[in-house]
Amino acid sequence: MKADEWAAIAAVASCASAVVALSAVLVAGWFARQQVIAAGKQVDAALKQVEESRKLREEQSQPNVVIFVEKNPAVSKALELVVKNFGTTPAYNVELTFDPKPQVSPHAVGDTEIEDLWYPDEIPFLAPGQEWRTLWDLSHHRFEHASLPSRHEAKATYADSSEKGYTTNSVLDWESLRGTESIIIKTVHDIAKLTEKQNEMHKEISQHLAAFRVPNAGVWTYTSDGKEEALRRSAEAGESRDRLRRLSGRLTGDGTGQAPTPIDDQTAAPHSTESQSTEQA
């Protein structure tokens, strides 16, 4: 082969090598770019996790005041308005807002007119887990008044120790209770009521037992038979008559203070008959 042919072959080989090298560079650049993109995604994911962790820590370390309604554990038909701090830090200057304002049926307050429910304009402090509650209304009375609103929009506005403000919205709806049923659970309150009732019964029994100290009062039980009891009572009655006779004798005597001799009923009748016969003769 001639020299110029070898030169051409060498040039072609050089070009091919350059193309292969360029392809290798391009492929390496593409892989490097993919690695950079993947690394960027990993960085973004890490930053997002850091941000979420920061928000979670903030949420866990902040107050969380919620307004809600809850059935009374002792009376299932009684609904209570509750303001509670579910957070892990104290809540300050808790303000309550309702739309419309909560109202109470007449039966619940012993009046004939619907009244507004009282609640504080501001609760200065709520510790973690602390709550404020009050009786709102009785469901079986409230549903008798169609003019009372059922749905209420509630909002709690409060701050943490650094005076950072928070707001929690909630919905209070009486219709969610309509038609519901509850299981009666006995609590310490029921035990206290039962104990109070038993104390009243014991007091009444004690009063009846105290009556036994007074003669002819209460219920008396005798262990002797009826004949002996009749004889005893007859003797007591005789003694009572003798005392009355002696007292009568002192009152009607001749002033000596001596009672006249009692006259037996069996001897008095013949004596009277004899005297009457003499007068007739």
Side-chain angles (χ1 to χ4, degrees), residues 95-126:
E95 296 182 358
L96 313 179
T97 305
F98 300 92
D99 184 25
K101 289 186 176 181
Q103 293 180 313
V104 186
S105 64
H107 301 282
V109 296
D111 201 353
T112 58
E113 297 182 357
I114 297 175
E115 296 186 0
D116 292 337
L117 176 67
W118 182 90
Y119 57 88
D121 295 332
E122 180 181 280
I123 302 175
F125 179 85
L126 279 178

mmCIF file of all heavy atoms in Angstrom, residues 95-126:
data_model
loop_
_atom_site.group_PDB
_atom_site.id
_atom_site.type_symbol
_atom_site.label_atom_id
_atom_site.label_comp_id
_atom_site.label_asym_id
_atom_site.label_seq_id
_atom_site.Cartn_x
_atom_site.Cartn_y
_atom_site.Cartn_z
ATOM 1 N N GLU A 95 -59.395 32.385 74.204
ATOM 2 C CA GLU A 95 -60.635 33.090 73.890
ATOM 3 C C GLU A 95 -61.556 32.167 73.094
ATOM 4 O O GLU A 95 -61.107 31.464 72.185
ATOM 5 C CB GLU A 95 -60.347 34.363 73.091
ATOM 6 C CG GLU A 95 -59.527 35.392 73.861
ATOM 7 C CD GLU A 95 -59.293 36.652 73.062
ATOM 8 O OE1 GLU A 95 -59.742 36.696 71.885
ATOM 9 O OE2 GLU A 95 -58.673 37.596 73.591
ATOM 10 N N LEU A 96 -62.852 32.193 73.441
ATOM 11 C CA LEU A 96 -63.842 31.318 72.820
ATOM 12 C C LEU A 96 -64.782 32.141 71.943
ATOM 13 O O LEU A 96 -65.272 33.191 72.361
ATOM 14 C CB LEU A 96 -64.639 30.571 73.885
ATOM 15 C CG LEU A 96 -63.830 29.916 75.012
ATOM 16 C CD1 LEU A 96 -64.761 29.245 75.998
ATOM 17 C CD2 LEU A 96 -62.822 28.926 74.442
ATOM 18 N N THR A 97 -65.045 31.629 70.746
ATOM 19 C CA THR A 97 -65.957 32.297 69.815
ATOM 20 C C THR A 97 -66.918 31.264 69.254
ATOM 21 O O THR A 97 -66.491 30.175 68.834
ATOM 22 C CB THR A 97 -65.185 32.970 68.675
ATOM 23 O OG1 THR A 97 -64.200 33.855 69.221
ATOM 24 C CG2 THR A 97 -66.121 33.755 67.788
ATOM 25 N N PHE A 98 -68.223 31.606 69.235
ATOM 26 C CA PHE A 98 -69.250 30.696 68.713
ATOM 27 C C PHE A 98 -70.133 31.437 67.706
ATOM 28 O O PHE A 98 -70.420 32.615 67.873
ATOM 29 C CB PHE A 98 -70.129 30.163 69.850
ATOM 30 C CG PHE A 98 -69.383 29.395 70.897
ATOM 31 C CD1 PHE A 98 -68.889 30.041 72.025
ATOM 32 C CD2 PHE A 98 -69.162 28.032 70.765
ATOM 33 C CE1 PHE A 98 -68.204 29.348 73.001
ATOM 34 C CE2 PHE A 98 -68.472 27.328 71.734
ATOM 35 C CZ PHE A 98 -67.995 27.986 72.858
ATOM 36 N N ASP A 99 -70.560 30.721 66.698
ATOM 37 C CA ASP A 99 -71.484 31.273 65.713
ATOM 38 C C ASP A 99 -72.474 30.179 65.314
ATOM 39 O O ASP A 99 -72.101 29.225 64.618
ATOM 40 C CB ASP A 99 -70.727 31.773 64.495
ATOM 41 C CG ASP A 99 -71.650 32.435 63.487
ATOM 42 O OD1 ASP A 99 -72.722 32.930 63.903
ATOM 43 O OD2 ASP A 99 -71.306 32.422 62.289
ATOM 44 N N PRO A 100 -73.758 30.310 65.721
ATOM 45 C CA PRO A 100 -74.291 31.320 66.656
ATOM 46 C C PRO A 100 -73.929 30.982 68.100
ATOM 47 O O PRO A 100 -73.357 29.930 68.367
ATOM 48 C CB PRO A 100 -75.803 31.188 66.426
ATOM 49 C CG PRO A 100 -75.978 29.746 66.064
ATOM 50 C CD PRO A 100 -74.779 29.374 65.234
ATOM 51 N N LYS A 101 -74.289 31.891 69.008
ATOM 52 C CA LYS A 101 -73.987 31.669 70.416
ATOM 53 C C LYS A 101 -74.796 30.489 70.955
ATOM 54 O O LYS A 101 -75.964 30.323 70.607
ATOM 55 C CB LYS A 101 -74.295 32.928 71.228
ATOM 56 C CG LYS A 101 -73.322 34.068 70.986
ATOM 57 C CD LYS A 101 -73.598 35.217 71.934
ATOM 58 C CE LYS A 101 -72.569 36.323 71.768
ATOM 59 N NZ LYS A 101 -72.802 37.447 72.705
ATOM 60 N N PRO A 102 -74.205 29.676 71.807
ATOM 61 C CA PRO A 102 -74.948 28.533 72.367
ATOM 62 C C PRO A 102 -76.049 28.996 73.311
ATOM 63 O O PRO A 102 -75.865 29.935 74.085
ATOM 64 C CB PRO A 102 -73.868 27.739 73.110
ATOM 65 C CG PRO A 102 -72.783 28.727 73.393
ATOM 66 C CD PRO A 102 -72.806 29.713 72.270
ATOM 67 N N GLN A 103 -77.190 28.326 73.234
ATOM 68 C CA GLN A 103 -78.349 28.659 74.064
ATOM 69 C C GLN A 103 -78.842 27.418 74.798
ATOM 70 O O GLN A 103 -78.538 26.288 74.428
ATOM 71 C CB GLN A 103 -79.472 29.250 73.209
ATOM 72 C CG GLN A 103 -79.135 30.605 72.615
ATOM 73 C CD GLN A 103 -80.267 31.164 71.780
ATOM 74 O OE1 GLN A 103 -80.835 30.456 70.942
ATOM 75 N NE2 GLN A 103 -80.614 32.419 72.007
ATOM 76 N N VAL A 104 -79.648 27.655 75.844
ATOM 77 C CA VAL A 104 -80.134 26.589 76.714
ATOM 78 C C VAL A 104 -81.652 26.561 76.650
ATOM 79 O O VAL A 104 -82.310 27.605 76.673
ATOM 80 C CB VAL A 104 -79.665 26.814 78.167
ATOM 81 C CG1 VAL A 104 -80.047 25.638 79.046
ATOM 82 C CG2 VAL A 104 -78.162 27.050 78.212
ATOM 83 N N SER A 105 -82.211 25.362 76.584
ATOM 84 C CA SER A 105 -83.670 25.214 76.549
ATOM 85 C C SER A 105 -84.264 25.597 77.900
ATOM 86 O O SER A 105 -83.596 25.511 78.924
ATOM 87 C CB SER A 105 -84.045 23.777 76.189
ATOM 88 O OG SER A 105 -83.591 22.889 77.192
ATOM 89 N N PRO A 106 -85.536 26.011 77.950
ATOM 90 C CA PRO A 106 -86.152 26.460 79.211
ATOM 91 C C PRO A 106 -86.157 25.400 80.294
ATOM 92 O O PRO A 106 -85.983 25.693 81.463
ATOM 93 C CB PRO A 106 -87.573 26.833 78.789
ATOM 94 C CG PRO A 106 -87.481 27.125 77.335
ATOM 95 C CD PRO A 106 -86.434 26.206 76.816
ATOM 96 N N HIS A 107 -86.365 24.141 79.925
ATOM 97 C CA HIS A 107 -86.464 23.093 80.931
ATOM 98 C C HIS A 107 -85.146 22.906 81.679
ATOM 99 O O HIS A 107 -85.141 22.507 82.832
ATOM 100 C CB HIS A 107 -86.876 21.776 80.281
ATOM 101 C CG HIS A 107 -88.192 21.868 79.570
ATOM 102 N ND1 HIS A 107 -89.396 21.838 80.224
ATOM 103 C CD2 HIS A 107 -88.492 22.007 78.254
ATOM 104 C CE1 HIS A 107 -90.386 21.936 79.359
ATOM 105 N NE2 HIS A 107 -89.866 22.049 78.151
ATOM 106 N N ALA A 108 -84.038 23.176 81.020
ATOM 107 C CA ALA A 108 -82.752 22.928 81.657
ATOM 108 C C ALA A 108 -82.440 23.946 82.732
ATOM 109 O O ALA A 108 -81.696 23.670 83.656
ATOM 110 C CB ALA A 108 -81.638 22.937 80.612
ATOM 111 N N VAL A 109 -83.006 25.147 82.650
ATOM 112 C CA VAL A 109 -82.701 26.194 83.622
ATOM 113 C C VAL A 109 -83.894 26.501 84.514
ATOM 114 O O VAL A 109 -83.837 27.399 85.334
ATOM 115 C CB VAL A 109 -82.247 27.478 82.896
ATOM 116 C CG1 VAL A 109 -80.962 27.233 82.161
ATOM 117 C CG2 VAL A 109 -83.335 27.976 81.951
ATOM 118 N N GLY A 110 -84.995 25.769 84.360
ATOM 119 C CA GLY A 110 -86.159 25.991 85.197
ATOM 120 C C GLY A 110 -86.895 27.275 84.876
ATOM 121 O O GLY A 110 -87.574 27.850 85.728
ATOM 122 N N ASP A 111 -86.781 27.749 83.645
ATOM 123 C CA ASP A 111 -87.437 28.995 83.246
ATOM 124 C C ASP A 111 -88.323 28.716 82.046
ATOM 125 O O ASP A 111 -88.337 27.623 81.495
ATOM 126 C CB ASP A 111 -86.373 30.056 82.914
ATOM 127 C CG ASP A 111 -86.946 31.461 82.990
ATOM 128 O OD1 ASP A 111 -88.175 31.584 83.157
ATOM 129 O OD2 ASP A 111 -86.178 32.425 82.875
ATOM 130 N N THR A 112 -89.068 29.702 81.632
ATOM 131 C CA THR A 112 -89.972 29.557 80.488
ATOM 132 C C THR A 112 -89.398 30.160 79.219
ATOM 133 O O THR A 112 -90.032 30.075 78.171
ATOM 134 C CB THR A 112 -91.318 30.227 80.803
ATOM 135 O OG1 THR A 112 -91.097 31.607 81.117
ATOM 136 C CG2 THR A 112 -91.994 29.532 81.965
ATOM 137 N N GLU A 113 -88.228 30.764 79.277
ATOM 138 C CA GLU A 113 -87.631 31.408 78.115
ATOM 139 C C GLU A 113 -86.268 30.782 77.820
ATOM 140 O O GLU A 113 -85.569 30.312 78.711
ATOM 141 C CB GLU A 113 -87.466 32.915 78.356
ATOM 142 C CG GLU A 113 -88.788 33.656 78.559
ATOM 143 C CD GLU A 113 -88.562 35.144 78.752
ATOM 144 O OE1 GLU A 113 -87.387 35.561 78.776
ATOM 145 O OE2 GLU A 113 -89.555 35.874 78.879
ATOM 146 N N ILE A 114 -85.915 30.806 76.537
ATOM 147 C CA ILE A 114 -84.603 30.331 76.109
ATOM 148 C C ILE A 114 -83.547 31.346 76.545
ATOM 149 O O ILE A 114 -83.705 32.548 76.347
ATOM 150 C CB ILE A 114 -84.575 30.118 74.592
ATOM 151 C CG1 ILE A 114 -85.567 29.023 74.207
ATOM 152 C CG2 ILE A 114 -83.175 29.781 74.117
ATOM 153 C CD1 ILE A 114 -85.703 28.819 72.712
ATOM 154 N N GLU A 115 -82.473 30.866 77.117
ATOM 155 C CA GLU A 115 -81.417 31.747 77.614
ATOM 156 C C GLU A 115 -80.089 31.399 76.959
ATOM 157 O O GLU A 115 -79.874 30.276 76.495
ATOM 158 C CB GLU A 115 -81.297 31.635 79.137
ATOM 159 C CG GLU A 115 -82.529 32.105 79.893
ATOM 160 C CD GLU A 115 -82.309 32.105 81.390
ATOM 161 O OE1 GLU A 115 -81.192 31.730 81.816
ATOM 162 O OE2 GLU A 115 -83.238 32.469 82.129
ATOM 163 N N ASP A 116 -79.193 32.390 76.934
ATOM 164 C CA ASP A 116 -77.841 32.170 76.420
ATOM 165 C C ASP A 116 -77.022 31.390 77.438
ATOM 166 O O ASP A 116 -77.141 31.604 78.647
ATOM 167 C CB ASP A 116 -77.152 33.498 76.126
ATOM 168 C CG ASP A 116 -77.791 34.227 74.961
ATOM 169 O OD1 ASP A 116 -78.433 33.557 74.127
ATOM 170 O OD2 ASP A 116 -77.654 35.469 74.895
ATOM 171 N N LEU A 117 -76.203 30.478 76.945
ATOM 172 C CA LEU A 117 -75.313 29.721 77.823
ATOM 173 C C LEU A 117 -74.155 30.607 78.261
ATOM 174 O O LEU A 117 -73.520 31.270 77.430
ATOM 175 C CB LEU A 117 -74.784 28.483 77.093
ATOM 176 C CG LEU A 117 -73.763 27.642 77.862
ATOM 177 C CD1 LEU A 117 -74.419 26.978 79.070
ATOM 178 C CD2 LEU A 117 -73.136 26.592 76.951
ATOM 179 N N TRP A 118 -73.875 30.598 79.552
ATOM 180 C CA TRP A 118 -72.753 31.402 80.037
ATOM 181 C C TRP A 118 -71.451 30.655 79.831
ATOM 182 O O TRP A 118 -71.356 29.444 80.072
ATOM 183 C CB TRP A 118 -72.905 31.705 81.528
ATOM 184 C CG TRP A 118 -71.772 32.569 82.035
ATOM 185 C CD1 TRP A 118 -71.718 33.921 82.079
ATOM 186 C CD2 TRP A 118 -70.514 32.099 82.554
ATOM 187 N NE1 TRP A 118 -70.516 34.348 82.587
ATOM 188 C CE2 TRP A 118 -69.748 33.246 82.882
ATOM 189 C CE3 TRP A 118 -69.961 30.840 82.762
ATOM 190 C CZ2 TRP A 118 -68.475 33.158 83.425
ATOM 191 C CZ3 TRP A 118 -68.684 30.749 83.284
ATOM 192 C CH2 TRP A 118 -67.949 31.901 83.615
ATOM 193 N N TYR A 119 -70.436 31.386 79.378
ATOM 194 C CA TYR A 119 -69.078 30.863 79.281
ATOM 195 C C TYR A 119 -68.130 32.050 79.420
ATOM 196 O O TYR A 119 -68.487 33.196 79.113
ATOM 197 C CB TYR A 119 -68.853 30.132 77.944
ATOM 198 C CG TYR A 119 -69.119 30.965 76.724
ATOM 199 C CD1 TYR A 119 -68.120 31.752 76.149
ATOM 200 C CD2 TYR A 119 -70.375 30.980 76.137
ATOM 201 C CE1 TYR A 119 -68.363 32.520 75.029
ATOM 202 C CE2 TYR A 119 -70.636 31.748 75.017
ATOM 203 C CZ TYR A 119 -69.621 32.504 74.461
ATOM 204 O OH TYR A 119 -69.869 33.270 73.355
ATOM 205 N N PRO A 120 -66.925 31.826 79.897
ATOM 206 C CA PRO A 120 -66.003 32.944 80.129
ATOM 207 C C PRO A 120 -65.531 33.561 78.815
ATOM 208 O O PRO A 120 -65.336 32.862 77.813
ATOM 209 C CB PRO A 120 -64.840 32.289 80.893
ATOM 210 C CG PRO A 120 -64.884 30.855 80.500
ATOM 211 C CD PRO A 120 -66.340 30.531 80.297
ATOM 212 N N ASP A 121 -65.360 34.859 78.831
ATOM 213 C CA ASP A 121 -64.821 35.534 77.649
ATOM 214 C C ASP A 121 -63.377 35.113 77.386
ATOM 215 O O ASP A 121 -62.939 35.066 76.225
ATOM 216 C CB ASP A 121 -64.883 37.057 77.837
ATOM 217 C CG ASP A 121 -66.313 37.555 77.933
ATOM 218 O OD1 ASP A 121 -67.207 36.903 77.346
ATOM 219 O OD2 ASP A 121 -66.543 38.582 78.608
ATOM 220 N N GLU A 122 -62.657 34.787 78.461
ATOM 221 C CA GLU A 122 -61.254 34.389 78.317
ATOM 222 C C GLU A 122 -60.867 33.461 79.461
ATOM 223 O O GLU A 122 -61.227 33.702 80.610
ATOM 224 C CB GLU A 122 -60.339 35.614 78.289
ATOM 225 C CG GLU A 122 -58.865 35.277 78.131
ATOM 226 C CD GLU A 122 -57.979 36.519 78.137
ATOM 227 O OE1 GLU A 122 -57.885 37.173 77.091
ATOM 228 O OE2 GLU A 122 -57.416 36.836 79.203
ATOM 229 N N ILE A 123 -60.153 32.413 79.122
ATOM 230 C CA ILE A 123 -59.576 31.512 80.125
ATOM 231 C C ILE A 123 -58.089 31.838 80.194
ATOM 232 O O ILE A 123 -57.356 31.584 79.234
ATOM 233 C CB ILE A 123 -59.810 30.042 79.751
ATOM 234 C CG1 ILE A 123 -61.308 29.766 79.595
ATOM 235 C CG2 ILE A 123 -59.215 29.114 80.799
ATOM 236 C CD1 ILE A 123 -61.618 28.362 79.120
ATOM 237 N N PRO A 124 -57.615 32.383 81.296
ATOM 238 C CA PRO A 124 -56.224 32.854 81.329
ATOM 239 C C PRO A 124 -55.188 31.756 81.118
ATOM 240 O O PRO A 124 -54.144 32.002 80.509
ATOM 241 C CB PRO A 124 -56.095 33.464 82.731
ATOM 242 C CG PRO A 124 -57.498 33.746 83.168
ATOM 243 C CD PRO A 124 -58.346 32.691 82.526
ATOM 244 N N PHE A 125 -55.479 30.528 81.582
ATOM 245 C CA PHE A 125 -54.437 29.498 81.547
ATOM 246 C C PHE A 125 -55.079 28.121 81.512
ATOM 247 O O PHE A 125 -56.041 27.855 82.230
ATOM 248 C CB PHE A 125 -53.539 29.628 82.783
ATOM 249 C CG PHE A 125 -52.443 28.606 82.871
ATOM 250 C CD1 PHE A 125 -51.240 28.799 82.219
ATOM 251 C CD2 PHE A 125 -52.625 27.440 83.612
ATOM 252 C CE1 PHE A 125 -50.233 27.849 82.300
ATOM 253 C CE2 PHE A 125 -51.623 26.497 83.706
ATOM 254 C CZ PHE A 125 -50.422 26.694 83.048
ATOM 255 N N LEU A 126 -54.547 27.267 80.650
ATOM 256 C CA LEU A 126 -54.938 25.859 80.606
ATOM 257 C C LEU A 126 -53.674 25.012 80.547
ATOM 258 O O LEU A 126 -52.924 25.059 79.566
ATOM 259 C CB LEU A 126 -55.822 25.561 79.389
ATOM 260 C CG LEU A 126 -57.311 25.902 79.484
ATOM 261 C CD1 LEU A 126 -58.003 25.572 78.178
ATOM 262 C CD2 LEU A 126 -57.972 25.155 80.631
#
